Amino acid sequence: MKELCVVFGGQSPEHEISRKSVTSILHHLDKNKYHISLIGITKKGAWYLYSGDYANIEDGEWEKDTSNLHKAVISPDGEDKAIIVFNGDKISKIYPEVIFPVLHGEYGEDGTIQGLFELSGIPYVGMGVMASANAMDKTSSKVVFADAGIPQADWVVANSSDDYEQKMDEIENKLGYPCFVKPARTGSSVGVGKAHDRKELKLALENAAKFDRKILVEEHIDGHEVECAVLGNENPKAATVGEIMPTVEFYDFDAKYNDNSTKLKIPADLPQKTIDTIRKYAVTAFKALDGSGLSRVDFFVKHSDGSVILNEINTLPGFTSISMYPKLWDAVGIEYSELLDNLIALAEKRVK
């Protein structure tokens, strides 16, 4: 039986999504294959080994289950390769063979915790430090993807310290309206806004600045919103393509996680040639970042001419019961539990 450490929670605005994702993952992990040690990170950054009921995780009640909580840390000692657990004045150690971080956004998906894992010497699921950092920063990944020759929406980078009046002039001249305003380093559409005029643009910039000092503003692409799942290390493969059909103007946080009216169509209702192009670009984007493990790559297919435009890449996509990533692989014959097995095996095989 393999010793597996699963890490969830975290300090990002996507903390609640992590709790949803990990609950689903824990339900699908084969308990005959894995002995699971579970580390929860609170919004304030406290680390605990949690041994209580998995049912208490999604709503956050796990933090109140003090009888099943013990302070714990992953040791950066690459020779020891251990989780250190504190129980009063006693210290014990757990020796995981693989770490599975189920963390979205800041401090979980941006290379910071991956750095700790690298120091620990313990294999972990997902992309490495540099790939995670570049993917998390939408402005950095724009540069990487442009160099790889992948079509993207035009963009402007803003900063929370900018003179917004001057920056809005630049945005209006280069992008026009409507346009999308995004914190550079959040996921799950946290802090994202759509601006139809200058007043809305200023409000969207101010809102995005609450989440990140660096802001990405992109031209509006009128098209289908589609997503592709990638799996692998040196020779990654792409699943089929899924289409998002939200009932709101754009696919924001609530539409992703709270609005049951949003529909997913798998495979997407697109010509096979277009699906093949999306799959090719998804793998190209993954390789351009020096990716490993997994990613979900998001695209637009323009209504006007059917051309494919890369939107963004997600290195630790949602794993909730309604998430696109596991559903895309299920559609091509890899069911949820097998997908988790594959990810854990890829972690052990990853070449640093």
Side-chain angles (χ1 to χ4, degrees):
M1 187 174 288
K2 191 175 295 295
E3 287 289 335
L4 179 68
C5 173
V6 178
V7 185
F8 73 94
Q11 295 173 262
S12 88
E14 298 169 78
H15 176 98
E16 289 78 9
I17 307 308
S18 170
R19 296 203 312 253
K20 289 176 182 284
S21 289
V22 79
T23 299
S24 185
I25 285 173
L26 291 169
H27 176 72
H28 286 92
L29 279 169
D30 188 339
K31 308 307 184 295
N32 294 317
K33 294 180 179 179
Y34 307 106
H35 179 264
I36 301 168
S37 300
L38 193 56
I39 289 181
I41 304 174
T42 69
K43 282 187 174 182
K44 293 183 177 180
W47 287 47
Y48 293 100
L49 182 73
Y50 176 60
S51 55
D53 192 337
Y54 293 164
N56 291 330
I57 294 174
E58 185 169 343
D59 62 3
E61 289 297 306
W62 72 277
E63 292 186 37
K64 301 175 184 177
D65 188 7
T66 54
S67 62
N68 287 303
L69 292 178
H70 297 289
K71 292 287 290 183
V73 294
I74 295 174
S75 171
D77 186 331
E79 186 175 52
D80 202 21
K81 296 180 172 61
I83 298 169
I84 302 173
V85 183
F86 303 90
N87 187 2
D89 58 356
K90 296 180 180 179
I91 293 176
S92 59
K93 293 183 179 180
I94 300 170
Y95 296 93
E97 295 170 77
V98 179
I99 299 170
F100 196 144
V102 189
L103 299 163
H104 308 306
E106 189 178 16
Y107 302 124
E109 201 174 350
D110 59 2
T112 50
I113 203 166
Q114 285 76 16
L116 173 60
F117 298 155
E118 293 283 355
L119 290 171
S120 77
I122 305 168
Y124 58 95
V125 171
M127 292 196 182
V129 176
M130 185 62 71
S132 296
N134 279 330
M136 187 67 192
D137 188 323
K138 298 178 183 69
T139 62
S140 295
S141 58
K142 281 278 194 182
V143 175
V144 173
F145 298 146
D147 186 65
I150 306 172
Q152 303 176 82
D154 204 358
W155 75 94
V156 170
V157 178
N159 194 291
S160 59
S161 62
D162 285 341
D163 180 325
Y164 282 175
E165 294 301 322
Q166 289 185 2
K167 185 57 67 171
M168 287 190 294
D169 288 342
E170 179 186 351
I171 292 166
E172 288 175 338
N173 290 331
K174 187 174 182 180
L175 307 180
Y177 295 109
C179 59
F180 283 94
V181 181
K182 305 175 179 180
R185 291 162 291 204
T186 64
S188 294
S189 296
V190 171
V192 175
K194 185 176 182 180
H196 299 84
D197 55 37
R198 194 177 181 93
K199 181 180 178 181
E200 289 185 356
L201 177 57
K202 186 174 183 182
L203 290 172
L205 288 167
E206 291 172 344
N207 183 58
K210 295 175 183 177
F211 300 93
D212 199 333
R213 63 174 176 78
K214 189 160 57 169
I215 303 162
L216 177 69
V217 186
E218 291 180 304
E219 68 170 321
H220 170 63
I221 301 296
D222 183 21
H224 303 278
E225 295 183 60
V226 299
E227 300 180 346
C228 185
V230 179
L231 178 70
N233 289 339
E234 289 82 10
N235 299 296
K237 305 296 182 185
T240 189
V241 175
E243 182 175 357
I244 302 160
M245 294 177 287
T247 55
V248 292
E249 186 174 2
F250 74 96
Y251 196 42
D252 61 4
F253 184 93
D254 283 337
K256 285 183 178 181
Y257 299 108
N258 300 323
D259 184 358
N260 293 328
S261 66
T262 296
K263 303 297 182 184
L264 307 180
K265 186 173 180 59
I266 303 174
D269 187 15
L270 295 169
Q272 187 60 47
K273 183 178 179 181
T274 303
I275 288 177
D276 292 343
T277 297
I278 293 166
R279 294 177 68 238
K280 181 188 76 173
Y281 281 148
V283 170
T284 300
F286 188 88
K287 287 183 173 181
L289 286 169
D290 190 26
S292 55
L294 74 161
S295 70
R296 194 196 72 232
V297 193
D298 302 346
F299 297 87
F300 296 106
V301 178
K302 294 177 75 171
H303 291 307
S304 59
D305 58 7
S307 59
V308 176
I309 304 293
L310 175 64
N311 182 18
E312 62 185 34
I313 190 167
N314 297 268
T315 59
L316 284 168
F319 267 87
T320 72
S321 59
I322 61 170
S323 292
M324 183 72 91
Y325 187 85
K327 285 183 175 293
L328 287 170
W329 285 111
D330 185 66
V332 296
I334 301 178
E335 57 102 27
Y336 201 128
S337 294
E338 183 184 356
L339 177 61
L340 297 178
D341 290 342
N342 287 343
L343 288 169
I344 292 164
L346 285 167
E348 294 181 290
K349 294 174 183 175
R350 185 168 73 89
V351 177
K352 294 183 181 180

